[in-house]
């Protein structure tokens, strides 16, 4: 059936999103365009490295985080950001680190972590019971203090090492009774506010990642030279599996880490009487986050920014390396291929109260396409409804055989960094269980995606976004998957089939190229997980291309049939078990920070692999495992 694009783009502003794992669905349900990630400022590198106006040459690193209420609580928004005035280098109360915690200018390396709920008072992030190693922490969803040290930020609050040290002293004296009380005093945990209180979880993702990357046991001689700069992402960004809310927030987070790293270098110069710009500490930034859908060609906003930052030669900061996980979805059936005239199954589960996004990316074209890519969508009990795009950038509303809304399809054309163009269609299915009476919903079961016979020749990539429920978030999402009748996850001997068979079928579900969609830039390091006992990539670990599990591999799971490793919990001395390539990335971060602190200066991905003992044509090198952080 033919469907018309809506007239103009005149839509009401989105209302506040619901507090659950499909928090972007409110945007999709009420707007006829995707959140505009490409409308970011063009001077991001200038904002990061200070080539502009502002105090002492530092540009104001403000990036709008998205529609208020959709991304952040309204009371977190900074109504009037203003530039730093230099007091962070002169006022001891605003210092990033106390004097006794400053790293050695010749042996230090700054570790950045962008995640959720970093436990900034944990004993492994202290030098002494009252001396913090956390130079700066941006808590994005905390209630804004416009007069606090983070007054240049668009939202939330900033905590710095000197302030944390004051609280730690009160903790030791008993004035503050417990670590939990300190989190509440700082405003990081506030149970009166409507949000997901990830910072109160006993064992959260951010705690595991930050303490693997930068946690050191009391008395460790390397601790002082590994200061931490962190970002607690807003819970709605962590919960949004569509990835629609993340680009602006991640860009702002990266800018925060870079600007604060530069300011920490200036603080060391000021405190030790050194020449300006003589301290240039290297930075290793860990982002243990990812998407399962995307172009996978380095063209996304966040990938372009990370590549530019890694390439940039700053005169006041050392080299910057970025580490990401390779991904956890090799066997999840979220990736497939279609060719012109082909059809691919899509298994949609029942009881899903969130929208389900899927992307179809066309082959690379040498010139802008003369007609937009069309797709067909068929559900249980009715034939395919076809999009009716007449120009790039449109949206069409798809209906079932009874005229009920079942999905929206968004069209876009992207110019690739290396030349050429790709078309993409994002399909957003309605929930299979309505959140409220009267809201649109669709039938669960086996759906089908189709391409017309006159589509561009070549493979079209199909990617489903992750939609499973994250621990601690309300259980309202269900993961759909692609369906291929020839797909087998076990062979006749019941062994896992963890590589794609040598098949010429082009419309199929695949395991290859399931790499994290944030990690396909030129300069980022992709960390993969292997089992400690067998030393082989675990079956959930995604693949870069057809067979590589990462640029660097690290033991995470104890054995192929025994998942998990000991990780630190939120409270000092607590521990839990966790698995995933998200735990490989911070171990690579820690290893690389140690190498940079010892003077190594690898210039690219291949040089880092060589530093780890790898060869250009050989398998990815496997780093030694970290000492256990808790009991096994």
């Amino acid at each position: 059936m033919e469907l018309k694009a809506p007239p103009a783009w005149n839509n009401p502003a989105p209302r506040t999103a619901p507090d659950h794992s499909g928090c972007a669905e409110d945007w999709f349900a009420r707007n006829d365009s995707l959140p505009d990630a490409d409308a970011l400022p063009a001077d991001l590198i200038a904002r990061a490295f200070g080539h502009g106006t502002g105090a002492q040459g530092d540009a104001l690193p403000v990036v709008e985080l998205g529609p208020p209420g959709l991304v952040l609580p309204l009371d977190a928004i900074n109504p009037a950001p203003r530039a730093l005035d230099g007091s962070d280098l002169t006022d001891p109360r605003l210092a990033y680190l106390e004097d006794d915690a400053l790293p050695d200018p010749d042996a230090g390396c700054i570790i950045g972590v962008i995640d959720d709920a970093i436990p900034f008072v944990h004993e492994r992030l202290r030098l002494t019971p009252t001396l913090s190693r956390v130079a700066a922490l941006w808590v994005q969803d905390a209630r804004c203090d416009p007069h606090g040290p983070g007054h240049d930020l668009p939202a939330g609050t900033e905590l710095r090492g000197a302030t944390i040290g004051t609280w730690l002293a009160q903790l030791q004296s008993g004035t503050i009774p417990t670590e939990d009380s300190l989190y509440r005093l700082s405003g990081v945990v506030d149970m009166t506010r409507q949000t997901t209180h990830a910072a109160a979880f006993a064992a959260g993702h951010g705690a595991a990642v930050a303490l693997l990357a930068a946690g050191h046991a009391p008395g460790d001689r390397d601790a002082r030279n590994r200061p931490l700069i962190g970002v607690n992402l807003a819970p709605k960004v962590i919960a949004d599996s569509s990835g629609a809310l993340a680009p602006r927030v991640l860009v702002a987070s990266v800018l925060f880490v870079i600007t604060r790293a530069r300011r920490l270098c200036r603080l060391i110069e000021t405190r030790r009487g050194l020449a300006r710009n003589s301290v240039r500490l290297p930075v290793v930034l860990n982002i243990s986050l990812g998407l399962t859908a995307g172009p996978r060609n380095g063209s996304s906003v966040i990938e372009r920014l990370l590549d530019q930052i890694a390439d940039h030669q700053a005169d006041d900061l050392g080299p910057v390396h970025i580490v990401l996980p390779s991904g956890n979805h090799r066997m999840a059936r979220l990736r497939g291929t279609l060719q012109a005239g082909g059809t691919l199954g899509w298994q949609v589960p029942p009881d899903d109260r969130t929208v389900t996004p899927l992307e179809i990316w066309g082959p690379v074209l040498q010139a802008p396409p003369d007609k937009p890519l069309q797709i067909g969508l068929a559900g249980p009990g009715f034939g395919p409804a076809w999009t009716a795009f007449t120009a790039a950038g449109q949206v069409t509303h798809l209906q079932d055989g009874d005229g009920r809304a079942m999905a929206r399809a968004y069209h876009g054309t992207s110019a690739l960094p290396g030349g050429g163009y790709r078309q993409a269609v994002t399909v957003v299915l309605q929930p299979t269980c309505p959140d409220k009476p009267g809201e649109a919903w669709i039938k669960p079961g086996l759906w089908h995606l189709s391409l017309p016979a006159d589509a561009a020749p070549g493979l079209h990539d199909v990617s489903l976004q992750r939609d499973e429920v994250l621990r601690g978030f309300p259980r309202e999402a269900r993961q759909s998957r692609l369906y291929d009748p020839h797909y087998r996850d076990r062979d006749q001997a019941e062994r896992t089939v963890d590589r794609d068979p040598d098949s010429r079928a082009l419309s199929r579900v695949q395991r290859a190229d399931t790499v994290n969609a944030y990690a396909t830039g030129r300069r980022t390091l992709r960390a993969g997980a292997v089992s400690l006992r067998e030393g082989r990539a675990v079956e959930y670990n995604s693949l870069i291309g057809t067979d590589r599990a990462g640029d660097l591999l690290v033991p995470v799971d104890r054995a192929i049939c025994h998942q998990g490793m000991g990780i630190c919990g939120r409270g000092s001395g607590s521990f839990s078990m966790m698995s995933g390539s998200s735990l490989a990335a911070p171990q690579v971060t820690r290893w690389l920070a140690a190498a940079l602190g010892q003077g190594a200066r690898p210039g690219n991905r291949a040089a880092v692999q060589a530093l780890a003992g790898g060869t250009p044509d050989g398998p990815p090198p496997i780093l030694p495992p970290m000492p256990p952080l808790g009991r096994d």
Side-chain angles (χ1 to χ4, degrees), residues 438-458:
E439 290 190 347
W441 62 282
I442 60 171
K443 294 179 181 179
L446 185 59
W447 291 62
H448 289 89
L449 287 166
S450 301
L451 289 181
D454 62 349

Side-chain angles (χ1 to χ4, degrees), residues 129-163:
T130 61
L131 198 60
S132 176
R133 294 174 40 240
V134 179
L137 178 68
W138 179 16
V139 186
Q140 293 182 342
D141 71 320
R143 185 176 283 110
C144 177
D145 177 8
H147 304 293
H151 54 69
D152 61 325
L153 301 173
T157 190
E158 180 182 358
L159 309 178
R160 293 183 183 166
T163 300

Side-chain angles (χ1 to χ4, degrees), residues 211-251:
L211 293 165
L212 279 173
H216 287 264
D220 190 325
R221 291 179 299 176
D222 291 333
R224 186 170 64 91
N225 289 324
R226 303 292 179 268
L228 173 67
I229 297 176
V231 177
N232 280 6
L233 291 170
K236 289 184 177 180
V237 175
I238 294 290
D240 170 32
S241 57
S242 75
L245 305 182
R248 290 173 172 274
V249 178
L250 285 178
V251 165

Side-chain angles (χ1 to χ4, degrees), residues 213-539:
H216 287 264
D220 190 325
R221 291 179 299 176
D222 291 333
R224 186 170 64 91
N225 289 324
R226 303 292 179 268
L228 173 67
I229 297 176
V231 177
N232 280 6
L233 291 170
K236 289 184 177 180
V237 175
I238 294 290
D240 170 32
S241 57
S242 75
L245 305 182
R248 290 173 172 274
V249 178
L250 285 178
V251 165
S253 302
V254 172
L255 297 187
F256 172 83
V257 172
I258 297 301
T259 55
R260 272 22 180 198
R262 295 172 56 241
R263 299 304 290 173
L264 178 57
C265 291
R266 306 291 79 74
L267 179 67
I268 297 171
E269 294 164 357
T270 301
R271 290 287 190 265
R272 299 194 173 176
L274 302 173
R276 182 172 175 82
N277 295 345
S278 63
V279 176
R280 295 189 287 271
L281 297 181
V283 179
V284 184
L285 174 57
N286 187 105
I287 308 177
S288 282
L289 304 168
L291 288 179
T292 56
R296 289 185 174 86
N297 55 20
S299 64
S300 68
V301 170
I302 186 65
E303 289 176 302
R304 296 200 308 267
L305 174 65
L306 295 179
D307 280 344
Q308 290 176 39
I309 285 177
D311 284 336
H312 188 77
Q313 300 292 321
D315 59 4
D316 63 350
L317 186 69
V320 180
H321 295 267
I322 301 101
V323 183
L324 294 98
S326 56
N328 299 329
H329 297 88
R330 185 199 316 189
M331 307 291 287
R333 285 174 273 183
L334 306 184
R335 180 93 163 120
T337 56
L338 265 174
Q339 58 180 332
T343 298
L344 189 62
W346 184 2
Q347 190 70 46
V348 180
D351 195 33
D352 187 353
R353 296 171 62 187
T354 66
V355 296
T356 300
L358 175 146
E359 297 177 4
I360 302 98
W361 288 86
V364 176
L365 305 174
Q366 297 306 310
D370 54 6
K371 61 180 181 180
L373 173 65
Q374 310 288 348
I375 62 103
L377 185 63
F382 68 92
W386 290 90
T387 55
F389 301 120
T390 59
Q394 290 184 330
V395 59
T396 58
H397 300 244
L398 295 168
Q399 299 174 346
D400 63 17
D402 297 324
R404 294 176 299 190
M406 63 178 182
R408 291 189 177 198
Y410 303 84
H411 181 275
T413 300
S414 301
L416 305 182
Y421 301 84
R422 290 188 80 183
Q423 296 191 83
V425 174
T426 301
V427 179
V428 182
L429 278 185
Q430 297 283 7
T432 56
C433 177
D435 194 47
K436 297 180 180 66
E439 290 190 347
W441 62 282
I442 60 171
K443 294 179 181 179
L446 185 59
W447 291 62
H448 289 89
L449 287 166
S450 301
L451 289 181
D454 62 349
L459 292 181
H460 293 67
D461 296 325
V462 180
S463 298
L464 267 169
Q465 288 287 20
R466 172 188 57 80
D467 198 26
E468 74 268 28
V469 176
L470 302 179
R471 183 167 61 178
F473 291 84
R475 299 173 114 21
E476 294 168 327
R478 303 288 182 269
Q479 182 67 59
S480 65
R481 64 178 185 269
L482 300 175
Y483 174 75
D484 177 354
H486 302 291
Y487 185 95
R488 297 290 182 270
D489 56 4
R490 299 279 173 179
D491 63 16
Q492 293 181 349
E494 287 300 309
R495 291 172 300 205
T496 300
V497 180
D498 59 1
R499 295 291 194 278
D500 290 325
D502 185 13
S503 171
R504 299 300 178 186
L506 297 180
S507 295
R508 60 177 183 174
V509 178
Q510 65 184 52
R511 302 163 182 83
D513 198 27
T514 48
V515 61
N516 175 2
Y518 285 151
T520 60
R522 294 177 292 102
R523 293 297 306 272
T524 49
L525 290 169
R526 289 78 60 93
V530 298
S531 57
L532 178 60
R533 181 174 301 167
E534 296 87 358
R536 55 176 289 195
V538 294
E539 66 180 43

